[in-house]
Each structure stands twice: as structure tokens, then as C-alpha cells.
Amino acid sequence: PGEASGYLTRTEILKGTSLGAELGLSYSTAPSPGVHYVASIDYGAVHDRCVLALLHCRRDGLICVDRLDVWQGSRANPVQISAVERWLDDVRKLYPLDCVIIDPHQMVSTIQRYQGLVPIEQWEPRGGKANYEMAQAFRSALVNDRLAWYPKAGSLIVDDPLSGYPIEETLEDELLMLQLKPVSYGFRVDHLPSRHDDRFVAIAMAVAHLHNTRLKRPLPDSPVWF
């Protein structure tokens, strides 16, 4: 479906996987010296996933996914905003954060709580030009070998809708199911019915932020890649 829609092919998606493996990326538990990070939060309590991402941009322009934590809530056990805030507290105490990007849906109280503690940027990623901007930034970074993630980043065990047995759903699976939908100002990206786009959204918001930051303040000897 993703290939038919014209957004990402399987070959393009595997660029991020292969590059991450080549670089030896792994789930980060501590900051690297001299590196500043960006956190990104796409909150979902029950039906959507709650995705918490941590990324950084190297001096050569390569964006690395350092953490991709994915939580699936249920009606009996929804993901609590307090759990998200504990994650953010842990991350901001351990990592030097340049910014936290948040989809404000259901997160207004969290945004108000952290104002003044860490720079916050709000994104409304599922409609309008914000979706177009982040989808364009994500695709450009990926196909130009400027985006990499560690093996099994954001993998989640789910029940197979066909067999009912538990299976591992990967970031690559999610990206392949994304659909491109033409609109008047370009295009927007959405997911198929019964599928999800939350991991994509969390990464893409951060990629778009890092892209915009590099355009405003290019680093020495680091060409702008977009």
C-alpha cells in the first residue's frame, strides 16, 4: 500500500534500518558527550499508541533515533499522562534537551507544566500544512541517507488480526502502510484503517524541527541536506 501510494517504498524504508545497523546504533541509555537532543511525544491513551522519541542530529547532518518507546493502552488500562511526564522527567534529567516537540491533543496540561523548564514546540501533525512539512522532511532525510534508527526501534508485540496470535509489529511495518493523499497545498500522509502512524509522527515531528533548526543556524562544515 505504501509503494502504491507513492510515499515510501520498502527499499527506501530499509535505508534507515540498514544505515542504523551499519553505524552500530542501539537503544540509548546515556547521552553522548557534547551532543544535544530533541524529544518528541505523540500521545494516545487507548486506540492510538503513545510514542516517545529521542533523536539528535550529528554535525554531518545525519539524524539518529536514540530512543523510540511505544506504549499501547486499552480501555481497561489506558496510558496515563502522568506516565508520559515521568518519561519526560527522566529524559530531561539525563539528556541535554534543546527542545520537546508535542502534539497538543490531550497534552495541554503537560505543555503548561513544562513551560519554562524546557523549550517546547507544539505540532498538530495530522492535518494541514504541518503534516505536509513533516512528511516532506521525513522522506527527504530517509531517501538521502540522513535518517537512521537502531534495530527493532519501536517494535511492539500485538495480536495478529488474522490469526489472533501475538506478532512483532515493527517501525518498518508501520511505515510501509502509510498512504499519501494529495491535497491543494501538496500532500498529507495518513494510515490505513485499523493501522497506525504514531511512530512515524513522533519521528517526523522531530525530523522537521531539526531540519528547520539547521536551515536557521547551519553548523560549520555541515551542508544543509533538505
Side-chain angles (χ1 to χ4, degrees):
E3 296 192 15
S5 75
Y7 183 58
L8 291 171
T9 66
R10 187 181 299 273
T11 299
E12 290 166 344
I13 292 168
L14 291 178
K15 279 175 167 280
T17 308
S18 301
L19 185 55
E22 179 184 328
L23 295 170
L25 299 185
S26 61
Y27 183 89
S28 175
T29 58
S32 298
V35 174
H36 285 245
Y37 296 82
V38 169
S40 180
I41 299 172
D42 185 33
Y43 175 72
V46 177
H47 300 294
D48 293 327
R49 279 80 184 265
C50 180
V51 181
L52 309 111
L54 186 72
L55 297 84
H56 77 274
C57 185
R58 304 193 325 182
R59 294 186 67 83
D60 61 3
L62 175 67
I63 296 174
C64 299
V65 178
D66 298 283
R67 287 190 182 187
L68 192 62
D69 296 317
V70 185
W71 303 339
Q72 175 67 71
S74 65
R75 290 188 181 276
N77 188 27
V79 176
Q80 300 295 324
I81 289 180
S82 59
V84 176
E85 293 180 347
R86 285 195 297 272
W87 180 93
L88 183 53
D89 284 335
D90 290 342
V91 166
R92 72 185 186 90
K93 289 175 183 176
L94 185 60
Y95 295 85
L97 293 180
D98 280 343
C99 187
V100 177
I101 301 105
I102 301 179
D103 177 357
H105 180 62
Q106 301 184 69
M107 294 292 288
V108 173
S109 62
T110 299
I111 292 170
Q112 293 174 342
R113 176 182 173 184
Y114 287 91
Q115 289 283 4
L117 298 177
V118 63
I120 291 178
E121 182 174 332
Q122 298 184 48
W123 276 75
E124 296 184 1
R126 287 180 171 80
K129 293 185 179 180
N131 180 286
Y132 171 71
E133 181 181 350
M134 72 179 198
Q136 192 178 35
F138 183 96
R139 188 179 191 284
S140 177
L142 184 61
V143 301
N144 288 293
D145 298 317
R146 289 292 185 266
L147 177 61
W149 50 81
Y150 56 92
K152 296 186 179 295
S155 291
L156 188 68
I157 301 300
V158 300
D159 291 333
D160 185 348
L162 296 179
S163 68
Y165 290 106
I167 59 171
E168 183 180 41
E169 184 187 277
T170 66
L171 170 62
E172 292 83 2
D173 293 331
E174 179 175 300
L175 294 175
L176 191 61
M177 292 294 110
L178 296 177
Q179 289 187 313
L180 182 152
K181 298 182 178 181
V183 292
S184 60
Y185 47 79
F187 61 84
R188 66 184 303 274
V189 171
D190 204 346
H191 59 84
L192 293 167
S194 77
R195 296 285 183 169
H196 297 269
D197 63 359
D198 312 281
R199 285 169 284 199
F200 161 74
V201 166
I203 297 174
M205 289 192 298
V207 169
H209 167 83
L210 289 167
H211 160 65
N212 291 338
T213 300
R214 285 177 60 79
L215 284 184
K216 293 174 183 176
R217 296 184 286 116
L219 295 173
D221 303 321
S222 297
V224 173
W225 49 262
F226 191 80

